[in-house]
Amino acid sequence: MRSRGPRRRFPRSRARPPDDSTIATHLAAMTHLIDESSAHGVSTDLPRQIKAVADRAVAEGPSRSSHAAMISQFPNPE
């Protein structure tokens, strides 16, 4: 059997920086998608609904700003 080299060791903690992959980091992209869709005559209904859900999740506070926080907003379609 051929050796595959030294085994990589990963840290036990898979913690991410608090601002990595949060909803807040993606709000600008959501806004851009809405603007570009509108400029090209594409419906903005769905992107606006998704952004509204993201905005509500972020408004709940920093601890709720991960993408998983959006799930708590699904029963509240405003």
Side-chain angles (χ1 to χ4, degrees):
M1 184 191 296
R2 196 170 96 195
S3 173
R4 296 183 185 194
R7 185 174 180 168
R8 290 185 177 189
R9 303 231 185 251
F10 293 98
R12 289 183 185 262
S13 170
R14 299 234 185 228
R16 303 282 192 268
D19 61 349
D20 182 38
S21 294
T22 63
I23 299 168
T25 61
H26 299 286
L27 285 175
M30 291 178 192
T31 300
H32 181 70
L33 175 64
I34 292 166
D35 294 343
E36 287 298 309
S37 296
S38 180
H40 290 283
V42 176
S43 174
T44 60
D45 292 345
L46 182 59
R48 286 181 188 280
Q49 289 173 349
I50 293 170
K51 186 174 180 303
V53 170
D55 286 336
R56 289 195 315 266
V58 169
E60 286 186 0
S63 65
R64 304 285 298 155
S65 63
S66 72
H67 286 90
M70 290 177 67
I71 293 169
S72 68
Q73 298 300 316
F74 293 161
N76 306 312
E78 293 179 9

